[in-house]
Amino acid sequence: MTSAQDPRLAELNARVKQDLEYLNFPPANWSKPVGTEAGQAVCDAVIIGGGMCGLVAWLALTRAGIRNLRIVDRAQKGAEGPWVTYARMETLRSPKNLLGPALGMASLTFRAWYTALFGVAAWEELFRIPRPMWMDYLNWYRDVLSVPVENGIDVTRVIPRDDGLLELEIAGGERPSIITRKLVMATGRDGLGEPAIPDFVAPLTRLKTWGHSADMIDFAALKGKRVVVIGVGASAVDNAAEALEAGAGEVRLLARRKSMPTINKLMGIGSYGVTAGFPKIEPAWRWRLMDYATKQQTPAPHNSTLRVSRHPNAYFHFDCGIRSMREEDGEVVITTNKGRIFRTDFVILGTGFNVDPLARPELAPFQDRIACWEDRYTPPEGEENAPLGRFPWLEEDFSFTEKEPGTAPWLKDIHCFNYGSSMSLGKVSGDIPAISEGALWLARGVSASLFIRDIDHHWQELLAYEKPELDGSEWTDADAVREQKTA
């Protein structure tokens, strides 16, 4: 693990600071000062989440001149996001040369950080970015930019106020609330939903006989045990590998599909055109693209799959949809839809996450008023996809919209800068490739909204502005001089 104080980074740190200075960073705050009637301080924006999305959102908003800003995360410093908690891949899927959260600054890229530490030759030899190293990079990014993340702050409820502001309840009310005009939910892959838990595990005891890939599983306790992993996607394969490397007696991966998915379909149209154009195309095309991609399923990475298959006690089973699971005589008995029986000691669900505003307790006061895709769009026959229908229907600034106009006007001030935005805006607020583009859209949208709301204030500022550019010594009035001469 490295830090911004590593002497190898001194030159790069100085370069970052110079680049920021050349970009006139940070600009002056331009937004209207706001307070409550009781004199409480009011933020222009609060970002929930101090991981990759939150950090780049903070930089984009700050560069836009929104300085009355807070960024909070419930995790402790260095544990934000999934990278050193429940993510278990050896390396990132994304190519090493993607720009990620650099926001157009070459000195903020992973490549700049890596080569400063290890040299150009090491960069050329690097295949993929090791997962823990990505967290090291984000820690450096946070430190070199002096991002003021407030760790240990858990926002448990968002409460719309009568004065048009948002009150953020902290730790169930055990700590003072935060009042804000805008809220950015930079809460990651599960930031607008919850882990997908199939009904068939209901008879089992969680963490005793089963766990989800997002759980803190005790892999050491699986040494010598039989393990079944449900799924063959990236998270399933990564968790299978962890169990095998911890000494599991056998690991069996059960997939509903009849064969292993092998093609990452969305790579076929990966381009800036997709990023820029996705929010602009009609809903039918957005739905068609996402429906096709999800039904094809993204395969696990090549190296991750080999990480499993190199173990002789790893087994892939296909056409194994699950009919039931039960505990019997100290083991889990799994019956597939075709009647096949598997017996195991522990089950890991590699079943991913659902997106559903109704699953977010912090939005409980109004979660049923949020418009979702199923409220705005009915797909044609053959493209039915219930999970996609639960994605929120967002504006281009990532803000929620009302299911029924006029019933929840505050939703325009809550911005879904996480995976939940992908149906409306594309993958610009969760994945590495286009995260900077998404942050720029967010900053533009939040800035426009605040300016428009305060147009009367800015009009008065314009009228009151009296700072002279000229003091009268810069010109001569020719007519006045002529009159003096003829007087």
Side-chain angles (χ1 to χ4, degrees):
M1 182 174 177
T2 59
S3 71
Q5 285 70 48
D6 191 306
R8 294 173 294 175
L9 292 170
E11 184 176 341
L12 177 60
N13 292 344
R15 182 176 146 203
V16 171
K17 295 185 184 304
Q18 183 181 68
D19 288 346
L20 290 170
E21 183 180 350
Y22 286 2
L23 292 170
N24 300 321
F25 179 88
N29 185 75
W30 53 264
S31 59
K32 173 186 175 181
V34 173
T36 68
E37 290 185 0
Q40 296 168 285
V42 176
C43 298
D44 285 325
V46 171
I47 300 168
I48 300 178
M52 179 179 68
C53 290
L55 294 175
V56 71
W58 178 90
L59 179 58
L61 289 168
T62 305
R63 278 177 52 173
I66 299 176
R67 302 284 304 280
N68 182 19
L69 178 66
R70 291 177 70 175
I71 175 171
V72 302
D73 197 294
R74 64 187 177 189
Q76 297 305 305
K77 183 176 181 180
E80 303 90 350
W83 312 108
V84 294
T85 52
Y86 66 82
R88 294 175 179 124
M89 60 281 203
E90 286 184 318
T91 66
L92 305 190
R93 176 191 292 270
S94 300
K96 65 181 181 180
N97 59 349
L98 294 183
L99 303 182
L103 210 64
M105 291 178 56
S107 57
L108 274 181
T109 60
F110 175 84
R111 181 174 184 173
W113 175 83
Y114 185 90
T115 53
L117 287 171
F118 307 110
V120 174
W123 169 260
E124 296 298 332
E125 293 176 2
L126 183 67
F127 169 61
R128 287 279 193 270
I129 300 171
R131 171 183 48 79
M133 186 177 286
W134 185 253
M135 189 73 237
D136 290 344
Y137 160 69
L138 292 177
N139 288 334
W140 167 79
Y141 181 105
R142 167 181 171 166
D143 290 343
V144 77
L145 293 174
S146 299
V147 184
V149 180
E150 301 172 52
N151 290 97
I153 304 293
D154 185 11
V155 177
T156 50
R157 194 63 56 94
V158 179
I159 305 169
R161 292 165 49 103
D162 293 339
D163 56 8
L165 302 172
L166 297 171
E167 181 174 346
L168 309 184
E169 175 192 85
I170 309 299
E174 295 180 2
R175 303 176 66 171
S177 297
I178 300 173
I179 311 298
T180 187
R181 305 178 77 190
K182 291 283 188 180
L183 175 63
V184 177
M185 296 182 67
T187 43
R189 175 68 62 168
D190 61 337
L192 198 70
E194 60 186 354
I197 309 296
D199 292 339
F200 54 67
V201 297
L204 309 182
T205 305
R206 190 166 190 166
L207 294 183
K208 177 186 175 185
T209 54
W210 73 273
H212 188 271
S213 60
D215 289 335
M216 300 306 293
I217 296 171
D218 183 1
F219 284 94
L222 300 180
K223 184 176 182 178
K225 300 291 183 66
R226 299 164 298 172
V227 177
V228 163
V229 177
I230 305 300
V232 289
S235 65
V237 166
D238 291 331
N239 278 265
E242 285 283 319
L244 289 161
E245 291 163 4
E250 68 171 33
V251 174
R252 299 184 182 275
L253 296 93
L254 309 188
R256 289 178 299 176
R257 294 173 177 270
K258 294 184 178 181
S259 61
M260 190 77 158
T262 59
I263 300 172
N264 187 350
K265 281 287 188 174
L266 284 179
M267 293 290 290
I269 57 170
S271 70
Y272 181 74
V274 174
T275 300
F278 191 89
K280 303 291 186 182
I281 57 178
E282 61 186 27
W285 268 115
R286 279 180 273 176
W287 183 277
R288 181 178 298 173
L289 290 170
M290 290 294 288
D291 174 63
Y292 179 75
T294 56
K295 288 177 179 175
Q296 292 298 307
Q297 188 177 354
T298 301
H302 173 75
N303 54 310
S304 295
T305 308
L306 288 177
R307 183 183 169 201
V308 172
S309 61
R310 67 176 175 234
H311 293 270
N313 55 336
Y315 308 91
F316 292 84
H317 300 275
F318 300 96
D319 199 13
C320 286
I322 307 302
R323 178 187 300 168
S324 67
M325 291 188 184
R326 69 181 190 277
E327 293 184 48
E328 182 180 283
D329 298 328
E331 61 183 6
V332 177
V333 180
I334 303 171
T335 304
T336 73
N337 288 332
K338 293 193 173 182
R340 190 170 181 183
I341 304 294
F342 292 90
R343 297 180 182 276
T344 190
D345 299 305
F346 195 78
V347 176
I348 300 176
L349 300 179
T351 47
F353 298 92
N354 290 325
V355 170
D356 186 353
L358 289 175
R360 301 307 304 183
E362 62 266 46
L363 303 180
F366 50 84
Q367 58 191 189
D368 58 340
R369 304 188 200 181
I370 296 173
C372 293
W373 269 73
E374 65 187 15
D375 303 311
R376 296 284 192 270
Y377 179 73
T378 301
E381 185 177 353
E383 293 183 10
E384 298 87 354
N385 193 322
L388 291 186
R390 296 304 302 152
F391 277 71
W393 183 280
L394 304 178
E395 298 287 1
E396 289 194 22
D397 64 353
F398 297 88
S399 61
F400 290 113
T401 58
E402 300 168 283
K403 186 179 296 187
E404 296 292 336
T407 60
W410 58 83
L411 289 175
K412 67 181 181 298
D413 293 322
I414 305 178
H415 301 262
C416 181
F417 193 60
N418 56 51
Y419 182 70
S421 72
S422 57
M423 267 302 299
S424 294
L425 302 174
K427 296 189 175 183
V428 291
S429 58
D431 293 341
I432 291 170
I435 189 68
S436 285
E437 189 69 19
L440 292 172
W441 297 356
L442 173 74
R444 183 177 66 237
V446 170
S447 298
S449 177
L450 291 175
F451 176 77
I452 292 167
R453 185 174 310 176
D454 298 333
I455 189 61
D456 289 339
H457 164 78
H458 295 297
W459 170 246
Q460 294 301 321
E461 290 282 294
L462 175 62
L463 296 178
Y465 187 74
E466 296 289 347
K467 181 179 180 180
E469 292 283 340
L470 304 174
D471 61 14
S473 65
E474 299 88 355
W475 76 93
T476 300
D477 186 332
D479 292 331
V481 171
R482 181 175 60 79
E483 290 175 359
Q484 289 176 355
K485 288 182 178 180
T486 57

